[in-house]
Amino acid sequence: AQSVSQHNHHVILSEAASLELGCNYSYGGTVNLFWYVQYPGQHLQLLLKYFSGDPLVKGIKGFEAEFIKSKFSFNLRKPSVQWSDTAEYFCAVNAFGNEKLTFGTGTRLTIIP
Amino acid sequence: ETGVTQSPTHLIKTRGQQVTLRCSSQSGHNTVSWYQQALGQGPQFIFQYYREEENGRGNFPPRFSGLQFPNYSSELNVNALELDDSALYLCASTSRLAGPSTDTQYFGPGTRLTVL
């Protein structure tokens, strides 16, 4: 069974700071990787996803993530955060050929104006 | 907005009661998955429905059951409610053709269930 670890539970940054949120997964086979965001009072939205190809994927709102297979990692990055990025961020994985998503426990990001 | 809708928005029940939650999938999507998100946790997979049949189940007891209708909408039923069932219940839809989809799952806003 796959599992996902997000080690940063709560991150507080000032506007314009750079962001990196960690995500590690545990699974021996081929995986698809996702980052979802949940803004206050809103539903889960897809930020970006990796299925195959270039391990550096770009998503919406200036976010990107890099898949490092040897480290079982899929860290989320943004060079300069904005106050509107305040939200809960979830890393998720599914095994190739299986739609079931396994989520991490989430990272709460607070941006101080 | 994803086009996935859920009802009701909030629900309060007492221990031992039964509850039915509803989900309408995004237009063109034929696969629906249900997730439970406890406070402070990530969503956990309950089960998935495809072609009106359960197609994969997470680590949830049989008192969690579901249905999918010909129009691809779905219900989640929970019997004999327990306090720990208090959570946000999320529905997600995707489109599957011949085999498991690699398409994105789109989530609804959720139903907040409180069990007293």
Side-chain angles (χ1 to χ4, degrees), chain A:
Chain A
Q2 60 257 38
S3 65
V4 178
S5 296
Q6 292 182 246
H7 304 295
N8 312 107
H9 297 294
H10 189 193
V11 173
I12 302 173
L13 294 172
S14 298
E15 274 193 317
S18 64
L19 169 71
E20 181 160 3
L21 301 182
C23 172
N24 288 90
Y25 69 94
S26 171
Y27 184 70
T30 302
V31 295
N32 302 314
L33 295 152
F34 307 81
W35 275 97
Y36 280 87
V37 61
Q38 195 169 34
Y39 296 104
Q42 296 188 28
H43 57 270
L44 275 171
Q45 300 173 37
L46 181 71
L47 266 182
L48 48 79
K49 61 186 178 184
Y50 172 80
F51 284 168
S52 63
D54 189 344
L56 183 63
V57 292
K58 295 189 184 299
I60 61 172
K61 304 187 180 186
F63 286 92
E64 65 178 31
E66 185 176 12
F67 170 48
I68 303 179
K69 190 174 180 179
S70 61
K71 294 185 178 180
F72 297 90
S73 70
F74 190 57
N75 292 354
L76 181 71
R77 299 194 294 247
K78 186 172 184 178
S80 177
V81 294
Q82 300 172 310
W83 177 79
S84 58
D85 293 325
T86 295
E88 187 98 22
Y89 291 80
F90 293 94
C91 180
V93 61
N94 63 10
F96 183 77
N98 185 335
E99 293 143 349
K100 168 195 166 184
L101 285 168
T102 299
F103 284 84
T105 53
T107 296
R108 183 153 61 102
L109 175 65
T110 301
I111 306 300
I112 301 170

Side-chain angles (χ1 to χ4, degrees), chain A residues 36 49 51 90 97 99 101 104, chain B residues 35 48 96 100-102 104-105:
Chain A
Y36 280 87
K49 61 186 178 184
F51 284 168
F90 293 94
E99 293 143 349
L101 285 168
Chain B
Y35 292 81
Q48 181 185 80
R96 175 194 285 199
S101 173
T102 56
T104 302
Q105 290 190 48

Side-chain angles (χ1 to χ4, degrees), chain B residues 65-86:
Chain B
S65 63
L67 285 172
Q68 187 181 32
F69 301 99
N71 66 354
Y72 306 129
S73 65
S74 177
E75 286 183 356
L76 164 66
N77 299 290
V78 187
N79 293 321
L81 284 167
E82 300 177 0
L83 297 179
D84 285 348
D85 295 334
S86 294

Side-chain angles (χ1 to χ4, degrees), chain B residues 3-24:
Chain B
V4 180
T5 61
Q6 293 186 244
S7 62
T9 306
H10 296 90
L11 205 51
I12 300 175
K13 292 285 189 179
T14 56
R15 199 169 42 181
Q17 285 189 308
Q18 179 265 343
V19 69
T20 297
L21 310 181
R22 294 177 176 84
C23 170
S24 290

Side-chain angles (χ1 to χ4, degrees), chain B residues 20-85:
Chain B
T20 297
L21 310 181
R22 294 177 176 84
C23 170
S24 290
S25 58
Q26 183 164 308
S27 177
H29 286 184
N30 57 10
T31 303
V32 174
S33 300
W34 286 92
Y35 292 81
Q36 180 196 65
Q37 187 179 11
L39 202 61
Q41 301 294 317
Q44 288 197 15
F45 177 76
I46 303 174
F47 45 54
Q48 181 185 80
Y49 276 82
Y50 172 62
R51 290 186 174 176
E52 302 176 48
E53 291 190 0
E54 187 179 294
N55 179 54
R57 187 176 186 95
N59 189 25
F60 282 82
R63 59 190 185 84
F64 285 78
S65 63
L67 285 172
Q68 187 181 32
F69 301 99
N71 66 354
Y72 306 129
S73 65
S74 177
E75 286 183 356
L76 164 66
N77 299 290
V78 187
N79 293 321
L81 284 167
E82 300 177 0
L83 297 179
D84 285 348
D85 295 334

